[in-house]
Amino acid sequence: MWHRAFTVSPDTPLTELIISFGANVEASGGVCGVKRHADARARGVRRIQVEPHLSVTGACSAQWVPIRPKTDPAFLFAMVHVALHEADRSALDIAFLKARTSSPYLVAPNGFYLRDKKTGKPLVWDLIAKKAVPFDRPRIDPALEGAFEVSGRETGPDDEFWDHRNATCRPAFDHLLTHMCTYTPEWAAAICDVPADTIRSVATRFLDHAHIGETIEIDGVTLPFRPVAISLGKTVNNGWGGYECCWARTLLACLVGGLEVPGGTLGTTVRLNRPADNRWSSVTPGPDGFMHYPMNPTAKGEWMASPASRHAHQTLVPLAANSPWSQALGPTHLAWMMQKQGLDHLPEPTPPDVWFVYRTNPAISFWDTGAVSDVMADFPFTVCFAYTHDETNHTADILLPECTDLEGLQLIRIGGSKYVEQFWNHQGFALRDPATKPQGEARDFTWIATQLARRTGLLEAYNAAINKGAAGVRLFGEGYDFSLRTDKEHGIEDIWDAVCRAASAEITDGADTQGLDYFREHGFRTRAFSVLQWYLYPALVEQGLRFELPYQERLLRIGRELGARLHEQGITWWDDQLKEYEPLPRWQDLPGKWERALSQHFDVSIADYPFWLLTARSMQYAWGANAGLQMIHEVADNIAGHGGIIMNPAAAQKLGLAEGDVVEVSSPLGKTEGAIVLRQGIRPDTLLMIGQFDHWVTPFAKDLKAPSMNALTPMLLGLSDATGSGADLVKVALRRIGPSP
Ligand SMILES: Nc1nc2c(c(=O)[nH]1)N[C@H]1C(S)=C(S)[C@@H](COP(=O)(O)OP(=O)(O)OC[C@H]3O[C@@H](n4cnc5c(=O)[nH]c(N)nc54)[C@H](O)[C@@H]3O)O[C@H]1N2
Ligand SMILES: Nc1nc2c(c(=O)[nH]1)N[C@H]1C(S)=C(S)[C@@H](COP(=O)(O)OP(=O)(O)OC[C@H]3O[C@@H](n4cnc5c(=O)[nH]c(N)nc54)[C@H](O)[C@@H]3O)O[C@H]1N2
Ligand SMILES: [Mo]
């Protein structure tokens, strides 16, 4: 829920209704996603696509709801309102709310849970004994609604506490009821530019399809069956508003008991809550009956005052945790911004002595690509792995020509429940075996890595890391050991042969140990993976754990602590972000937040920039990576939406613009140009540029003259939310500069 990325998926094979807020799965879901959704449609699933432009996903959905950009939280809050204040309580899964969420926990006067003085456990009001008892007391019936006179201890940030005697406290669920009271469909209609009836009917359908009380048998185990799910796309779950959307999406799932159960909303890849091999093993007990989450410390003396990364992710974002993945989270743009100007009370920024670049092209893909390119051009020493000339490796001191995917050797883990829309009945390994000889001087990545290790004197550590599993499989286990000798250099095939043997052993519990030859002959090797493991619910029940919804007490506490730590250090530039640490999020004027940030920073009148500019994935393009392939261009050209700036015909007519006209699109930051593509499937106040183009070096792609929003989208502290994320959208103006060529 908290880190807002793509680790959530509907249980597409079983669900009946998917409400998608800008999740463009028919373009972005990969082969599996597209197949799963096609199969689901054949089964009669209904998908409602809520987004400002009609994506290919919207085009093959049952309904398209053209919402105003960045107003999704209002729509979702109104759905919560309908569930709580318009529907009968029997539409909700009360048993799930009582046992699997924080709904019954009593909230004390300062906003933290009321706790048992002796054990520190949160208290609930037991309707049977008519008194407050610890949440985990057996055979109780905890109240969800009402106000109760209770005594106990409330624990705030930094070990602050308050003892209460006969204080009036209400359960978290009751606080939720009050909190959502004013967020009616009529209220949301004005914000989202969507009729109240449409919002109400989407909410009602969601409740109607939830099948409260029904069960389904999965691998011999009876589980709840709740075939409704909500998915969020990358412009919705990122940037300001992301917290509100993720909270409301996950809360709606909880209200109908549809979180981590068949048909409902599921997590996928484990990124932060280690170990990552299996979702069940990431479920361990944390405080107060909730799952453990490896929050970065915010307590006095434990908080990381001096950041270990250039974007200070552990310092600024407790939720980023500290797994190998965590560096990719947090406000990564701060690292680029600070190269130009440091931030008060953080260490003086320094450029990297050596910058390694692998499979990324930020000179095209990042925000404010002009500024990013300037910064990288100044780096003292840049090394790029490369298979083609591109805009980022253009500034490299050394290029290491690397095999493409068809030329290199690698054993890859497959199956299980890894990645969005990827849930399998099997798991195991597949071999990527060279289909052709490398071109020119290109070398296999394994060879390059081994040489770098040897020539830098890191060979022993490098081999030891491979033995420990750095190549994807640990080379030793019970009854087998294919560890490489650490003191010598190993060949590409020797390394992968050992990995293949360990993989065979891992998958057969040590019975088989065939190597590379086996995989060359068979291609892959798998074993059964129980569908039961798609769902966390059984693991939660077994350990008696809950989801911390609706009320985010932990977030409130760490937010206060983080604020205290930052202020002790004199840092006030993160104050806006600190406000996001609310136990129950409130609506804030998000479109206005963008408009204010842009007009203040660039000192412009935002009325001069009347359009929202958005972006969307193209199924044919893998980011900007294959934009250099003629064949991809040919295929993409057959799909509507490519090659220009998507605009609504009515809006174009007002400006005297026609299909194919070349226009200049300018934001307060910068300009680009392209041809107008007229489509009814976009709001009149919105423009869209598909993908990430603007190439000026990459062969072939540079001749496409396809526009990108990235030169127009600024990196602004004010547009970074508390997790450091931002969204790909900006306000722009249009000016005709020529007729269609
Ligand atoms: N306009 C716009 N910009 C966006 C987005 C958007 O929707 N619109 N989306 C954003 C998002 S969510 C993301 S994740 C980023 C992604 O942006 P990036 O991470 O920059 O991804 P790519 O453009 O795919 O860059 C991959 C680079 O790796 C190279 N490459 C590919 N395969 C290999 C290989 O086997 N070996 C080597 N050595 N190199 C290889 C390719 O040539 C390419 O230059 O873009 C962001 N930027
Ligand atoms: N073929 C292919 N697949 C990919 C990728 C790829 O490059 N190529 N990249 C992968 C990666 S890294 C990522 S991050 C994912 C991204 O996958 P998605 O999250 O599906 O992202 P997009 O396709 O960019 O989705 C953009 C959609 O969001 C809508 N949108 C924009 N702003 C708003 C808003 O304010 N509210 C609402 N409701 N909708 C809005 C747009 O109309 C558009 O339809 O795709 C992954 N899959
Ligand atoms: Mo992404």
Side-chain angles (χ1 to χ4, degrees), residues 352-394:
D353 294 335
V354 182
W355 187 43
F356 277 99
V357 183
Y358 184 46
R359 288 197 189 213
T360 183
N361 189 4
I364 288 293
S365 61
F366 219 76
W367 299 308
D368 196 351
T369 42
V372 167
S373 299
D374 284 351
V375 166
M376 61 177 75
D378 278 346
F379 283 166
F381 194 76
T382 298
V383 182
C384 289
F385 296 87
Y387 67 57
T388 185
H389 192 183
D390 71 29
E391 292 66 22
T392 299
N393 67 35
H394 186 69

Side-chain angles (χ1 to χ4, degrees), residues 670-688:
K671 301 182 203 325
T672 187
E673 53 185 70
I676 292 286
V677 179
L678 294 181
R679 308 261 296 143
Q680 292 292 343
I682 188 161
R683 289 173 55 89
D685 60 0
T686 301
L687 304 172
L688 182 120

Side-chain angles (χ1 to χ4, degrees), residues 234 359-361 365 387 390 402 615 617 623-624 691-692 710:
K234 84 168 216 303
R359 288 197 189 213
T360 183
N361 189 4
S365 61
Y387 67 57
D390 71 29
E402 194 214 344
T615 182
R617 286 286 181 282
W623 304 273
Q692 47 202 71
N710 290 355

